[in-house]
Amino acid sequence: MLNKKLILFMFVIFCGFVLVFLIDAEQGRFFENPSISNNISKINNSVSSEKNIPDNWVSVKPSSSMRFKEFLIKNSKGEFSLIVFKNIGGSTDQNISRWINQFSGPENPLLPFQKNEIEQNGKNFIFLQNSGFFNGGMGQSEAFSDAGLIAFIVDDKSDIYYFKAVSSVEILIESKEEIISTILSSSI
């Protein structure tokens, strides 16, 4: 009786391995099918739009491993990147100081220095804008004049997200309200 149970047990284990192998092989063929890959891409895009991401924001592969997400934003004046970091080093105040110190010289009156803090839906939002001569910075090493910064720090009690866009004031100012409303309404 014990031998029959042992043989049955070994047979069940063997069948389990065969089943796992067959499932893995079938899944590989599933993802190789281009029409299925296109449908998965469409599903992923619809998920992004459900998070209140405007149509003119294109999610791109982050150009650095330090970046959590990156969006290319286009408007009638040009395009720029909105970079998203998650739980980066340094305190919130240290990051704000670093971002402010990346600018020097006179401000552009269309985008003067501003820092506002609000709490909404259980999250703490810090909005920051600045302008002047951009001295360069991490991931954006080229200095240029008449530059602007629009940034948010979002603390949702479990993670801290840092949104940062640096571009010419003319390009940024056109998308300022859209950035504010999108980040305030997003579920990240």
Side-chain angles (χ1 to χ4, degrees):
M1 179 84 161
L2 186 59
N3 278 346
K4 289 181 182 179
K5 285 183 180 180
L6 184 60
I7 291 172
L8 182 60
F9 177 74
M10 295 300 281
F11 180 75
V12 169
I13 297 294
F14 175 75
C15 289
F17 282 119
V18 170
L19 186 59
V20 167
F21 176 76
L22 291 173
I23 290 171
D24 282 346
E26 185 63 28
Q27 285 178 343
R29 284 194 297 273
F30 177 81
F31 286 110
E32 289 171 5
N33 184 332
S35 68
I36 292 172
S37 295
N38 290 339
N39 287 338
I40 290 170
S41 177
K42 288 176 187 174
I43 291 168
N44 287 338
N45 289 338
S46 70
V47 168
S48 293
S49 64
E50 289 174 9
K51 292 184 178 183
N52 301 321
I53 303 300
D55 292 339
N56 62 318
W57 292 31
V58 178
S59 180
V60 295
K61 181 180 179 188
S63 59
S64 165
S65 62
M66 290 184 60
R67 296 176 181 183
F68 176 65
K69 289 184 181 182
E70 191 168 338
F71 296 95
L72 181 64
I73 301 175
K74 297 180 181 182
N75 62 35
S76 70
K77 303 292 183 181
E79 61 184 44
F80 60 94
S81 290
L82 175 67
I83 301 165
V84 185
F85 302 95
K86 180 180 175 183
N87 299 327
I88 58 177
S91 70
T92 298
D93 289 336
Q94 288 170 328
N95 282 293
I96 290 171
S97 293
R98 184 170 40 82
W99 291 352
I100 292 169
N101 291 328
Q102 290 175 339
F103 290 82
S104 60
E107 294 177 341
N108 184 312
L110 296 174
L111 202 63
F113 175 77
Q114 184 178 355
K115 179 184 169 192
N116 296 324
E117 195 167 340
I118 63 167
E119 192 164 325
Q120 177 178 296
N121 300 327
K123 298 177 186 176
N124 186 43
F125 294 85
I126 300 172
F127 170 76
L128 185 68
Q129 72 177 29
N130 200 11
S131 62
F133 183 83
F134 181 66
N135 301 308
M138 296 173 62
Q140 295 169 310
S141 57
E142 301 220 7
F144 63 99
S145 59
D146 201 29
L149 163 76
I150 295 178
F152 264 98
I153 299 174
V154 182
D155 184 349
D156 72 359
K157 309 297 185 240
S158 62
D159 293 302
I160 301 176
Y161 298 88
Y162 298 82
F163 296 79
K164 181 183 179 191
V166 175
S167 187
S168 74
V169 170
E170 178 184 22
I171 295 172
L172 274 182
I173 201 73
E174 184 172 316
S175 294
K176 177 183 171 181
E177 294 305 317
E178 180 182 71
I179 293 170
I180 292 170
S181 64
T182 300
I183 292 173
L184 288 176
S185 67
S186 79
S187 57
I188 303 176

